[in-house]
Amino acid sequence: MKFNFELLPEDFIHFNYYYGWYRPEKKKLRVIIYLYPFLAVLAVLAVQNSGQVFSIPNLITLGLTVAISPFIGRLYRKLIKSKSLKYLRQNPAAHITGEKAIALTENNLILSADEEIVSTIKWESMHSFREDQLFYYLFITSQQAVIVPKRIFQEEEQEFRKFAKRKIAATK
């Protein structure tokens, strides 16, 4: 199986957002971040009910925490976008975006980038297979992945998905 596609800067940004926020390992972090303002309010109420005086700096910090909590997701997205674009500007030789070709064989995944770089990765060395609504992620390590946009597929998507998932799962 072989596929050619272009990886856009937006695709790289989406991967970084997925990696930092949406992958299953981050679920506890998301829950804590969204529950934090409520826990902070409960802590203030508990302190006040115990008869202790809550200081002005603590009240200001609490107020700011509660005020910005609805915007955490948007702020995080902006930070990820900014850092991703900065990384792409500073590392053009990394060939993260641009024309790509991916070939799946029985033994290897072969990735070509801009016709200058060819990487052969044995299925046994692959870390994991993940997906979201827009992409497949073939993780080489826990932090590095081959990003395959779902938009490139017409008819072979299910075949690709089953094959890659089976090959990576077989090595674990």
Side-chain angles (χ1 to χ4, degrees), residues 11-22 76 80-81 83-84 87 137 143 147:
D11 301 337
F12 180 64
I13 293 166
H14 183 90
F15 166 74
N16 284 301
Y17 193 64
Y18 169 83
Y19 180 80
W21 190 255
Y22 278 115
Y76 188 72
I80 291 294
K81 182 176 182 177
K83 287 187 174 222
S84 298
Y87 183 83
Y137 306 108
Q143 298 178 348
I147 305 165

Side-chain angles (χ1 to χ4, degrees), residues 147-164:
I147 305 165
V148 181
K150 289 184 176 181
R151 67 176 178 265
I152 70 168
F153 297 103
Q154 274 103 43
E155 299 170 8
E156 319 87 352
E157 183 174 358
Q158 290 306 316
E159 183 182 354
F160 168 85
R161 185 178 187 273
K162 287 178 185 175
F163 184 83

Side-chain angles (χ1 to χ4, degrees), residues 45-162:
L45 293 174
V47 167
Q48 286 179 341
N49 287 338
S50 71
Q52 296 176 353
V53 178
F54 213 81
S55 69
I56 297 294
N58 287 345
L59 287 173
I60 290 171
T61 302
L62 173 67
L64 288 173
T65 300
V66 171
I68 67 166
S69 65
F71 307 105
I72 294 283
R74 277 189 236 145
L75 292 171
Y76 188 72
R77 265 187 216 265
K78 286 185 178 189
L79 177 66
I80 291 294
K81 182 176 182 177
S82 166
K83 287 187 174 222
S84 298
L85 291 173
K86 182 179 177 183
Y87 183 83
L88 290 174
R89 276 192 306 275
Q90 290 178 343
N91 299 287
H95 298 278
I96 294 169
T97 58
E99 294 298 320
K100 308 280 181 221
I102 186 171
L104 286 70
T105 69
E106 278 302 316
N107 299 317
N108 306 308
L109 177 139
I110 303 165
L111 176 67
S112 304
D114 300 326
E115 298 182 11
E116 295 177 21
I117 299 171
V118 177
S119 300
T120 302
I121 306 153
K122 291 182 183 271
W123 290 113
E124 298 85 42
S125 65
M126 297 292 286
H127 184 269
S128 61
F129 177 90
R130 300 285 172 84
E131 69 177 291
D132 64 15
Q133 290 180 318
L134 301 174
F135 298 91
Y136 292 109
Y137 306 108
L138 302 146
F139 277 87
I140 299 167
T141 68
S142 63
Q143 298 178 348
Q144 184 181 17
V146 175
I147 305 165
V148 181
K150 289 184 176 181
R151 67 176 178 265
I152 70 168
F153 297 103
Q154 274 103 43
E155 299 170 8
E156 319 87 352
E157 183 174 358
Q158 290 306 316
E159 183 182 354
F160 168 85
R161 185 178 187 273
K162 287 178 185 175

